[in-house]
Amino acid sequence: MTALRRHRALDAIWDRGPGWRGALASVNHTDIGRRFILTAFVFFLIGGVLAMLIRAQLATPGSAFIGPDEYNQIFTMHGSIMMFLFAIPMIEGLAFYMLPKLLGSRDMAFPRLSAYGYWCYLFGGGIMIVALLLGVAPDAGWFMYTPLSSKIYTPGINSDIWLIGVTFVEISAMAAAIEIMVSVLKVRTADLRLDRMPLFGWYMLVTALMMLIGFPPLIMGSILLETERAFDWPFFDPERGGDPLLWQHLFWLFGHPEVYIIFLPAAGVVSTVLPVMARTRILGYGWIVAAILALAFLSFGLWVHHMFTTGIPHMALGFFSAASALVAIPTAIQIFAWIGTLWAGKPELKLPMLYILGFFVVFIIGGLTGVMLAMVPFNWQAHDTAFVTAHLHYVLVGGFIFPFLAGSAYWLPHFTGRRPSERLGVAAFWLIFIGFNLTFFLMHMAGLLGQPRRIHSYPEGMGWTWYNLLSSVGSFIMAFGFALFAIDVALQIFLGGKARRNPWRAGTLEWAMLLPPPSYNFASQPQLSSEEPLADNPALPLSLARGEGLLAVPRHGWRETLGGDMLSGKPAYIIILPGNSLLPLGMAIVTGGLFLSILFGVYALAPLFLIGIAACGWRWAWALGSRHTIGPLDAGGGISLPVQGEAPGSTGHWGSVLALVADGTMFATLVFGYAYLWTIASGWPPLELISAAPWGAVLAALALAASSLTVRKALAPAARRDELRRRWLAFAMAGQAVAVALLAVEMATAIPSPTSHAYAATVMVLFVYAALHCTLALVIAAFARARIVAGFVDDARTAELRMAVMWQDFAAMVTVIVLLVTKVPAMLA
């Protein structure tokens, strides 16, 4: 097969198809990545306009440019857009676009999941923007502190829009986290060992793990607060056993890792671009990986430093202060590695390098002020002042936007296939750099003079006027810089000359392809032994185009890519990926219907949408696999491999494992909230506890234990006949149904009214959580049984049975823990 025939055959398989239907149905990672990036940039522009309105209001004392109600909406939406609709989605988009290209793959592990995540992001963000246009946007701050965000103080729909919209967007983030982790661990090209993976892959792997663990507390907190607002269940009401500080704990359990979730991918961009600009290899690869892991670990022990003024015990203050200072060490390791790389190389002062130098200046200032705020006495003085606002922007803009602008200048030829304009880009850099520092450096001064943050106006004679006026002037200079950046990008796309392949003479694999990239990335997949394969083998692009790698021969219209061992990258199976589909869009629409029914209080429709989501999920999973065993296939290079599903350790298995990790984190957050209120809140335990009678609970636990045993029987070698498998699964489903019924009886008869006390509300949520997971385990067992009947399961293909075992065991574990933490205290009372 010639290179041209191979290209045409592969493009016919991987192309998204013509017209609007093709655009809506595409699940290709390049398309999804571009959509995330462009949509996030649009949200960034909206957030930037809101920032200009804020600065116009604060430019002079006593300004009447915006009223307080409108200002609160603009302030809240600016923070929410930048944190939830710009930063994280931009990270996801870059990861979706770049990771397969860097790792030598043809796509991500779950293409339809990526597409579903994008539509959820678009719809969730759209809800918030429409609310802003209609004048009912969230107005309680992007942190949504209770009791300000509770029903009594914000009785309208404003806070509900934040809770619903952000939770909708967080579904996208969780899907992206699972997608990124499985893709990095299992869908690398042949022989690409984990310890030789490009550093950007390491950064995204750790970031995705942090998202998987850090986002569930916010999702759970949002569910609890929306439940309180909708049904008057008093989780955060101190008069009925709740505690407003519980929201702060749940929010900052997400909020502080969020800072490093934003910083780490940007640092990954720096670690990728800087060595190319310095004409050398990165210094201290192993040290950087160790620093990434240490930073991720430490970031989860810092959340209370946002709460130093809330009455935390002194021992806790000391611990979290020390941890907040300690986190500077792994950050400094990365900075010294970058400085050492520059020292060892011959840096070229091109546009990406300018943005990296700007990042060094701005981020180091933000880091130094962060160490200042980690010290409790200083924090007490500076808390809730403009000093904190300045620090936040130095960290987030310096640690995220400057590196991503460097990445934009570096990878735009890859996105567009066009050469950049250096002059316009340099002018945009200086406007952004000067404008940013003029805006936010002066905020430090105003904060030290006592200017509070989150105010819509201030009186004359406080000594803040000139600082605010100059900050506002700086913000408009910065806005002109971003406008010039957007113009530069547009000119490059429409008027730029064609870029040559690998214009930066980089060593990483994403430049081993045509520009802009073909739909399939690589005509054949390489076998690698280096993190910079183009530097070691400049002829590699031509070799891959000739089909001298693996999977060079298209067959059966399949979208094939390699899956391998997690550590060594040794090829283990061939992944046959699903093609273009409207199902992700349809499922996102049904999910949106669920959220809108809750937002507008039409709760009777919510169960119908849940059934619709389950039906879409069933159809989604049903399209996978084959009704017969395919057997080993020729992968090229003398290698024969089984297809995924006929070999252990499939991507679907690991996707389920990671979904359970996220689910378990959310459940642990709920148990934490129950224990926190029991320990801290007033009126615990109340006079009226859950019924101490253990018999229903014991029977439910026994039914689930029996289900776990019978599901395993279906997987055991002795049950390798379809009839036996179906029978064991039917027994398991009966046990799950009995457990759901017993839990429903407990909720109806044994738990006090959830509106009476936070104890009753929390116990009810725990039981609902257990009942939902038992129901989910029942549905998965029913799906596995249906797949057996349809011929998708045999001795070699047992993925559905393994998944049924995992979810059944998790449901049983959750239920037993719920029964223990609720029934045992009631029995001992």
Side-chain angles (χ1 to χ4, degrees):
M1 179 178 284
T2 64
L4 183 59
R5 285 185 59 199
R6 179 176 295 103
H7 164 75
R8 288 173 176 171
L10 286 169
D11 194 57
I13 293 171
W14 290 87
D15 188 55
R16 71 182 185 184
W20 282 104
R21 180 182 175 85
L24 294 175
S26 176
V27 298
N28 185 278
H29 80 98
T30 299
D31 290 339
I32 302 302
R34 284 174 172 161
R35 289 176 188 176
F36 264 104
I37 290 169
L38 291 174
T39 307
F41 187 70
V42 170
F43 282 124
F44 174 74
L45 295 179
I46 296 171
V49 170
L50 298 180
M52 295 301 97
L53 295 176
I54 293 171
R55 288 313 319 167
Q57 169 66 17
L58 295 177
T60 56
S63 173
F65 179 68
I66 305 172
D69 293 337
E70 293 79 11
Y71 181 87
N72 285 339
Q73 291 189 34
I74 291 170
F75 161 77
T76 300
M77 283 298 294
H78 167 69
S80 300
I81 287 172
M82 292 306 193
M83 296 295 286
F84 299 108
L85 303 184
F86 164 62
I88 297 298
M90 182 64 78
I91 290 166
E92 295 167 17
L94 184 64
F96 288 156
Y97 183 89
M98 291 306 310
L99 280 175
K101 298 172 174 62
L102 279 165
L103 303 179
S105 176
R106 286 176 173 161
D107 211 321
M108 304 289 280
F110 309 114
R112 292 179 300 173
L113 187 62
S114 301
Y116 172 68
Y118 172 74
W119 295 118
C120 287
Y121 160 54
L122 181 64
F123 296 162
I127 290 172
M128 299 179 72
I129 298 302
V130 169
L132 178 65
L133 295 175
L134 296 178
V136 290
D139 56 1
W142 68 271
F143 35 79
M144 207 56 55
Y145 281 169
T146 56
L148 181 62
S149 58
S150 298
K151 198 74 171 179
I152 188 171
Y153 294 108
T154 49
I157 201 173
N158 306 63
S159 292
D160 300 296
I161 287 169
W162 190 95
L163 295 167
I164 296 298
V166 166
T167 303
F168 203 173
V169 171
E170 294 304 290
I171 292 176
S172 168
M174 299 306 296
I178 293 171
E179 175 80 285
I180 291 167
M181 285 197 71
V182 176
S183 297
V184 171
L185 291 174
K186 299 295 293 181
V187 196
R188 305 192 303 274
T189 195
D191 300 328
L192 181 56
R193 284 170 27 189
L194 203 59
D195 62 345
R196 292 177 178 170
M197 181 171 63
L199 276 173
F200 186 77
W202 272 108
Y203 277 102
M204 288 311 310
L205 175 64
V206 175
T207 299
L209 178 61
M210 293 174 68
M211 291 166 65
L212 204 67
I213 298 173
F215 284 13
L218 178 62
I219 296 173
M220 178 53 65
S222 299
I223 292 170
L224 295 180
L225 182 52
E226 180 59 28
T227 303
E228 177 176 290
R229 291 178 55 83
F231 303 114
D232 195 30
W233 293 14
F235 305 104
F236 308 104
D237 182 359
E239 294 183 359
R240 288 180 288 167
D243 188 351
L245 284 184
L246 174 60
W247 170 262
Q248 289 199 36
H249 281 289
L250 297 181
F251 184 86
W252 291 116
L253 275 168
F254 145 82
H256 199 82
E258 161 89 341
V259 174
Y260 299 99
I261 288 169
I262 290 173
F263 166 68
L264 282 177
V269 173
V270 174
S271 292
T272 303
V273 176
L274 184 143
V276 179
M277 296 296 106
R279 312 311 316 161
T280 188
R281 299 199 178 195
I282 192 74
L283 183 71
Y285 178 101
W287 282 98
I288 292 176
V289 172
I292 298 168
L293 297 171
L295 197 62
F297 176 78
L298 290 171
S299 70
F300 285 96
L302 308 180
W303 81 92
V304 174
H305 85 205
H306 295 272
M307 303 169 62
F308 280 166
T309 61
T310 59
I312 301 297
H314 284 188
M315 183 174 291
L317 289 176
F319 171 82
F320 285 104
S321 178
S324 301
L326 187 64
V327 79
I329 295 175
T331 305
I333 289 173
Q334 295 172 80
I335 291 173
F336 283 124
W338 296 327
I339 293 173
T341 302
L342 290 175
W343 188 271
K346 297 179 179 178
E348 299 175 348
L349 201 60
K350 296 183 178 178
L351 183 57
M353 192 69 222
L354 274 179
Y355 279 114
I356 289 175
L357 294 176
F359 152 75
F360 281 149
V361 173
V362 174
F363 185 72
I364 289 173
I365 293 174
L368 292 174
T369 57
V371 174
M372 294 167 66
L373 287 168
M375 302 300 108
V376 175
F378 181 82
N379 188 290
W380 283 348
Q381 301 302 314
H383 190 78
D384 266 344
T385 69
F387 187 95
V388 177
T389 305
H391 159 71
L392 175 69
H393 284 82
Y394 264 86
V395 170
L396 293 184
V397 176
F400 179 73
I401 291 181
F402 274 90
F404 265 75
L405 290 172
S408 298
Y410 179 74
W411 278 309
L412 265 173
H414 201 291
F415 278 60
T416 64
R418 305 284 181 175
R419 293 196 305 269
S421 167
E422 190 80 11
R423 289 183 179 179
L424 276 180
V426 170
F429 163 77
W430 284 112
L431 286 173
I432 293 169
F433 183 77
I434 293 170
F436 172 82
N437 283 285
L438 182 60
T439 302
F440 293 104
F441 190 82
L442 296 177
M443 281 190 192
H444 291 104
M445 308 302 148
L448 291 174
L449 290 174
Q451 179 181 331
R453 55 178 172 165
R454 306 168 190 159
I455 56 171
H456 85 284
S457 185
Y458 55 93
E460 291 190 55
M462 302 298 293
W464 309 334
T465 302
W466 279 103
Y467 291 115
N468 279 284
L469 180 60
L470 291 173
S471 287
S472 296
V473 170
S475 71
F476 280 87
I477 293 173
M478 180 169 54
F480 291 141
F482 282 114
L484 192 59
F485 168 81
I487 292 169
D488 183 27
V489 172
L491 290 175
Q492 179 179 334
I493 292 172
F494 295 109
L495 300 177
K498 187 171 178 59
R500 60 184 175 86
R501 184 181 293 188
N502 197 4
W504 304 107
R505 293 174 292 152
T508 45
L509 199 58
E510 79 272 24
W511 299 106
M513 58 183 66
L514 298 173
L515 300 182
S519 56
Y520 52 85
N521 289 342
F522 302 98
S524 58
Q525 291 188 244
Q527 292 178 277
L528 299 181
S529 58
S530 167
E531 63 267 21
E532 292 194 5
L534 294 189
D536 297 333
N537 181 12
L540 182 62
L542 184 59
S543 171
L544 297 179
R546 288 173 176 165
E548 296 172 5
L550 304 180
L551 298 183
V553 181
R555 55 189 160 202
H556 309 307
W558 290 345
R559 294 188 173 191
E560 296 181 330
T561 193
L562 292 172
D565 180 74
M566 194 176 294
L567 297 177
S568 69
K570 182 179 179 181
Y573 44 75
I574 297 171
I575 303 172
I576 302 175
L577 296 169
N580 297 328
S581 172
L582 289 172
L583 190 58
L585 174 59
M587 191 165 178
I589 291 172
V590 177
T591 309
L594 171 65
F595 281 99
L596 289 175
S597 68
I598 296 171
L599 177 62
F600 293 112
V602 191
Y603 301 115
L605 292 178
L608 297 179
F609 285 113
L610 278 174
I611 293 171
I613 291 171
C616 288
W618 187 291
R619 179 69 185 87
W620 183 306
W622 193 266
L624 300 173
S626 170
R627 293 179 186 268
H628 61 275
T629 302
I630 296 174
L633 296 174
D634 179 25
I639 301 173
S640 293
L641 297 172
V643 297
Q644 181 177 234
E646 297 176 12
S650 68
T651 56
H653 168 82
W654 286 104
S656 289
V657 169
L658 295 176
L660 287 171
V661 170
D663 203 344
T665 303
M666 192 177 301
F667 178 64
T669 301
L670 182 56
V671 175
F672 163 79
Y674 175 77
Y676 173 84
L677 290 175
W678 193 291
T679 306
I680 299 297
S682 60
W684 282 68
L687 295 176
E688 190 178 6
L689 296 174
I690 186 174
S691 170
W695 310 119
V698 170
L699 289 175
L702 289 175
L704 288 171
S707 294
S708 291
L709 289 174
T710 51
V711 168
R712 278 179 166 74
K713 287 284 188 182
L715 188 59
R720 287 182 178 174
R721 288 207 315 271
D722 286 351
E723 183 180 350
L724 277 176
R725 285 191 173 116
R726 293 198 303 268
R727 189 178 302 165
W728 286 119
L729 286 172
F731 288 148
M733 291 164 59
Q736 292 155 351
V738 168
V740 172
L742 290 169
L743 290 171
V745 170
E746 286 280 325
M747 287 187 281
T749 62
I751 302 175
S753 170
T755 61
S756 63
H757 195 276
Y759 165 82
T762 310
V763 170
M764 181 64 80
V765 172
L766 285 165
F767 270 79
V768 168
Y769 201 93
L772 283 175
H773 281 79
C774 290
T775 304
L776 180 60
L778 191 156
V779 171
I780 293 173
F783 177 81
R785 192 173 188 277
R787 295 280 282 188
I788 293 170
V789 172
F792 286 92
V793 178
D794 59 21
D795 293 351
R797 296 170 295 148
T798 58
E800 290 87 347
L801 298 176
R802 297 181 187 280
M803 190 173 298
V805 169
M806 281 194 296
W807 284 95
Q808 165 57 36
D809 288 349
F810 183 79
M813 179 194 72
V814 164
T815 304
V816 169
I817 292 174
V818 167
L819 296 174
L820 286 174
V821 301
T822 57
K823 287 290 186 178
V824 171
M827 292 170 66
L828 297 177

